[in-house]
Amino acid sequence: MKIIVVGSGAIGSLYGAFLSRLEDTEVILVGRNPHVSAIQSRGLKIKGILGDHVFKLKAIKYASEVEKVDLVIVTTKTYDTLTAAKSAKHLIKAGASVLLIQNGLGTEELVAKALNTTKVLRATTCMGALRTSPGVVTATGCGLTEIGSRYPENYELVEKLTKMMKHVGFDVRSSENIEGVVWTKTLVNCGINPVGALTGLSNGDVYKNKALRGLIVKLVEEAVQVVDALGIELTTEDPVRYALGTAKATGDNINSMLQDLQAGKRTEIDAITGEVIRLAKLYGIETPSSEAVYALVKALESKYLKEGKKLAETDILPIDDLVEAITG
Ligand code: PAF
């Protein structure tokens, strides 16, 4: 199988690298410099909890440099999905399937509609990875990958990819309820990510704080009302407990939204809390806590994007004031 990974940051490089170990599988990474040039000259180094490895992989800057592949894996941030998918339009037109490995809601429909294809697969991941320097990725967490598709014609490919990923050591399972999988993960992100991002705390420190745990409960409960209105079947019986359990289990993690703010980058709040608020409005559901954290994260985000400044210790809001303001 010939695979191209568009948006090869930490997560994309990690999946691409391990998949390239399979026989008869060629993987090409598409990313940005200096990551790409470092891989071209020294190979891709993977460190951390998966051990130390060097992968000799083809890395390029533009998908247009490739003529034909079987699979396009997109691992960009949610807001770059369409640009990434469009950059591989010629490959998709020529018959390639697309696998989106991301956080957030709504990207499958977006790609299917924009590129007029139903060969769209989706995965959620609880793998943690950081690009520690150009050409070097450190694996920080090893969690479940779940793959599925809302288009049944892709089930065979879903099973094939599940086997391939298992073979190279990922903890992976396929699901025929990918909407439920995506929503279950999104509820976790709705609870943990803005709270960590606004307080500057690791998932474990968020979990240890009673008031912040209470805020996670409110955020998840608001989002669950939307899930119920949509008639989506979650993959957990108790989403609040699941979100709190994830915060505890990933205690050392700095969640991805906080990482983005710390790097002065745009966050994925629009595809997570923003999407919950948008859908809630359609059903007349009130989401005051979600709206408050959304506004706060957006304010911080625009401040750092505008000033090109990174999150500083002094910008972190006092926790008690914050929780009171949000939950009343
Ligand atoms: O976005 C993240 O950081 C992760 O999805 C999670 C599970 C919240 C762990 O940090």
Side-chain angles (χ1 to χ4, degrees):
M1 185 184 286
K2 189 166 176 182
I3 301 172
I4 191 169
V5 184
V6 182
S8 292
I11 286 289
S13 301
L14 192 73
Y15 279 97
F18 281 94
L19 284 172
S20 75
R21 283 196 163 158
L22 289 166
E23 236 175 79
D24 298 327
T25 304
E26 185 192 349
V27 176
I28 301 167
L29 302 182
V30 182
R32 293 203 187 116
N33 273 341
H35 191 54
V36 162
S37 54
I39 297 172
Q40 285 167 345
S41 52
R42 299 188 294 274
L44 171 69
K45 284 200 183 114
I46 306 272
K47 294 179 169 179
I49 59 163
L50 298 175
D52 287 0
H53 314 264
V54 178
F55 293 87
K56 289 282 170 207
L57 284 175
K58 183 169 177 183
I60 55 175
K61 275 170 52 192
Y62 305 103
S64 55
E65 294 171 40
V66 179
E67 267 178 25
K68 201 163 172 18
V69 297
D70 303 293
L71 180 69
V72 178
I73 300 183
V74 175
T75 50
T76 56
K77 292 282 180 188
T78 43
Y79 47 81
D80 282 333
T81 307
L82 209 48
T83 313
K86 279 185 176 164
S87 77
K89 197 173 170 180
H90 62 295
L91 301 169
I92 295 161
K93 262 193 162 173
S97 300
V98 189
L99 167 65
L100 307 169
I101 310 182
Q102 301 172 309
N103 275 339
L105 299 164
T107 50
E108 302 96 290
E109 299 94 307
L110 199 70
V111 169
K113 211 168 152 196
L115 298 186
N116 194 24
T117 177
T118 48
K119 290 170 119 182
V120 183
L121 286 70
R122 173 70 199 262
T124 60
T125 178
C126 291
M127 293 295 299
L130 293 171
R131 203 152 31 122
T132 28
S133 57
V136 183
V137 169
T138 304
T140 54
C142 198
L144 183 65
T145 304
E146 289 186 86
I147 312 182
S149 176
R150 54 178 61 219
Y151 310 103
E153 72 209 62
N154 300 313
Y155 285 175
E156 210 175 298
L157 183 56
V158 166
E159 291 307 328
K160 184 172 178 179
L161 289 173
T162 305
K163 266 197 202 134
M164 287 167 70
M165 286 193 188
K166 251 189 207 154
H167 203 77
V168 293
F170 290 105
D171 179 12
V172 52
R173 84 179 165 217
S174 62
S175 173
E176 286 186 10
N177 174 21
I178 194 65
E179 271 197 283
V181 167
V182 169
W183 267 99
T184 304
K185 174 81 196 299
T186 303
L187 292 183
V188 170
N189 294 126
C190 278
I192 300 175
N193 294 32
V195 178
L198 290 168
T199 55
L201 295 175
S202 69
N203 295 353
D205 286 337
V206 166
Y207 179 79
K208 280 185 209 143
N209 186 302
K210 195 169 169 227
L212 296 180
R213 280 203 306 276
L215 180 52
I216 291 181
V217 172
K218 286 222 171 210
L219 293 168
V220 175
E221 281 175 354
E222 287 181 2
V224 167
Q225 290 185 60
V226 175
V227 170
D228 290 343
L230 289 168
I232 296 211
E233 196 189 320
L234 293 173
T235 58
T236 173
E237 299 256 304
D238 189 344
V240 166
R241 204 184 158 138
Y242 183 60
L244 291 172
T246 306
K248 192 176 174 196
T250 58
D252 291 337
N253 270 25
I254 299 293
N255 86 63
S256 53
M257 201 172 281
L258 176 55
Q259 277 184 44
D260 288 340
L261 286 181
Q262 284 176 333
K265 284 191 345 205
R266 186 174 165 189
T267 72
E268 296 185 295
I269 190 89
D270 286 300
I272 299 173
T273 315
E275 197 55 14
V276 166
I277 296 169
R278 185 185 72 80
L279 292 166
K281 284 204 164 76
L282 295 180
Y283 290 95
I285 298 165
E286 299 207 343
T287 53
S289 299
S290 305
E291 282 174 38
V293 295
Y294 176 83
L296 289 165
V297 171
K298 285 307 266 186
L300 277 184
E301 187 187 79
S302 70
K303 174 176 163 163
Y304 296 114
L305 284 175
K306 213 182 300 161
E307 295 177 6
K309 222 181 93 182
K310 300 193 176 171
L311 192 68
E313 246 344 85
T314 49
D315 290 316
I316 294 164
L317 302 164
I319 292 175
D320 289 340
D321 295 355
L322 172 73
V323 174
E324 203 184 317
I326 295 170
T327 59

